[in-house]
Amino acid sequence: MSGGVISKEKAEPNLTPLLDIVFQLITFFMLVINFASDNYDQRINLPDAGSARPVEDDSRIAEDRLVLNVDSEGRLLQGDEAQGIDQAVQTIRHQADLVKLGLKASGVKFDPAAAGLPTTIILRADKETTFGSVLGIIKACQAQGFRKFALKAMIRS
């Protein structure tokens, strides 16, 4: 007579690592969505253009982007602050330094005099902004090594 031992233990999976991953993914997507919406200032009334097209469709803008919002008085909007041209030049210089530092940290060799910085400037200027104000911002960007620009407009319907 042999007696068998019957075990009452049940194997249950440990869900803690799975929950950790899910919470990290949720946090990541919440941060990405929040940062993406900060670039586009709702106070800007974009001009209408019949030939306007979405920026995402342009393959050359798939790289690094810097969104600059210019209000109707020609001031650069950074968060809740409206900056005059002198302060805007300092902000653009700071952004160029950050791009250069990022390229240096990643080991990318570039010649700013030949090709300029690889970042594309997306300029969102209010339809009431004077051309001189927009040109001043563009010249400040060019002085810092930015060579790629995209102007935002509303699609005329």
Side-chain angles (χ1 to χ4, degrees):
M1 300 187 137
S2 66
V5 179
I6 299 175
S7 174
K8 298 265 183 180
E9 291 183 31
K10 293 183 181 177
E12 294 183 13
N14 186 3
L15 297 178
T16 304
L18 180 64
L19 290 174
D20 287 344
I21 291 173
V22 170
F23 286 133
Q24 287 179 3
L25 285 172
I26 290 171
T27 304
F28 170 76
F29 286 117
M30 286 173 52
L31 289 174
V32 169
I33 290 171
N34 189 18
F35 289 138
S37 65
D38 286 344
N39 291 332
Y40 301 104
D41 197 321
Q42 299 299 319
R43 296 175 286 179
I44 303 296
N45 294 322
L46 295 175
D48 295 331
S51 62
R53 58 189 161 96
V55 174
E56 291 75 22
D57 290 345
D58 198 349
S59 61
R60 66 183 171 86
I61 302 180
E63 63 234 9
D64 192 21
R65 304 181 208 179
L66 175 60
V67 179
L68 299 178
N69 295 297
V70 181
D71 69 0
S72 60
E73 297 175 21
R75 301 175 299 182
L76 183 66
L77 299 177
Q78 287 290 104
D80 293 335
E81 181 184 0
Q83 302 176 347
I85 190 66
D86 294 332
Q87 213 173 4
V89 168
Q90 291 176 353
T91 299
I92 293 167
R93 182 179 302 127
H94 177 71
Q95 292 295 331
D97 290 342
L98 289 175
V99 170
K100 292 173 188 173
L101 185 63
L103 290 172
K104 185 177 179 181
S106 64
V108 175
K109 300 288 184 186
F110 73 100
D111 183 13
L117 296 173
T119 302
T120 299
I121 301 295
I122 298 176
L123 191 58
R124 299 182 75 245
D126 193 278
K127 62 182 170 183
E128 300 296 323
T129 306
T130 63
F131 177 73
S133 300
V134 174
L135 184 62
I137 297 291
I138 290 174
K139 284 186 176 183
C141 292
Q142 288 175 333
Q144 296 305 316
F146 294 108
R147 301 287 184 261
K148 300 176 185 177
F149 294 90
L151 302 175
K152 292 285 283 183
M154 296 295 291
I155 298 174
R156 188 179 309 154
S157 50

